[in-house]
Amino acid sequence: QLKLDESGGGSVQTGESLRLTCKFSLARYTAYCMGWFRQVPGKEREGVAGINRDGVIVYAEAVKGRFTLSKDNARNTLYLQMNSLKLEDAATYYCAAGGPSCRGSWYSDRYLEVSGQGTQVTVFS
């Protein structure tokens, strides 16, 4: 079974950067999309970015141009480079795998296959 382990969260000022890292334990997995979603207590999950099996990356509109998702297959690692962080980016970020498409709600309860324990990102002004 695929296991995911995130790291890299922290507390930063607006405009600063963070890089999240997700080590996954199994090179091959059945889920179609692997990526990141975030959640704030009391709010719905929000997809941030996902990469499909063909290497196509999909970003949420809220993070386009600021966040970059990358995947290193040799190291079984997924990264999320977050630049120009805003107050509204503060959340718990989860590395996850799901499907059937990175363009849909792959991170929803219906499609989510596995997620990590989450890493906290705090942004202050």
Side-chain angles (χ1 to χ4, degrees):
Q1 184 178 354
L2 182 66
K3 292 185 179 179
L4 308 168
D5 185 21
E6 310 100 331
S7 62
S11 183
V12 296
Q13 208 164 10
T14 53
E16 293 186 336
S17 301
L18 278 175
R19 187 174 81 157
L20 305 183
T21 298
C22 172
K23 285 282 289 183
F24 51 95
S25 63
L26 194 65
R28 302 183 70 180
Y29 54 93
T30 58
Y32 184 80
C33 184
M34 179 180 280
W36 300 85
F37 70 86
R38 63 190 181 186
Q39 191 164 25
V40 175
K43 293 192 175 182
E44 296 281 327
R45 287 177 197 163
E46 180 185 18
V48 176
I51 181 169
N52 70 16
R53 291 176 172 276
D54 298 322
V56 175
I57 300 173
V58 178
Y59 294 98
E61 285 296 325
V63 306
K64 273 183 182 178
R66 300 187 299 120
F67 290 13
T68 302
L69 184 150
S70 59
K71 187 167 176 270
D72 186 336
N73 291 321
R75 291 181 168 83
N76 287 1
T77 304
L78 196 69
Y79 302 98
L80 184 68
Q81 178 66 41
M82 306 187 295
N83 297 331
S84 302
L85 281 161
K86 302 177 180 181
L87 293 174
E88 52 264 42
D89 293 320
T92 301
Y93 283 71
Y94 298 86
C95 180
S101 169
C102 282
R103 296 194 181 278
S105 300
W106 59 272
Y107 48 87
S108 67
D109 285 340
R110 180 175 182 181
Y111 296 120
L112 186 68
E113 292 194 14
V114 63
S115 64
Q117 78 285 357
T119 185
Q120 183 68 40
V121 172
T122 302
V123 185
F124 59 91
S125 60

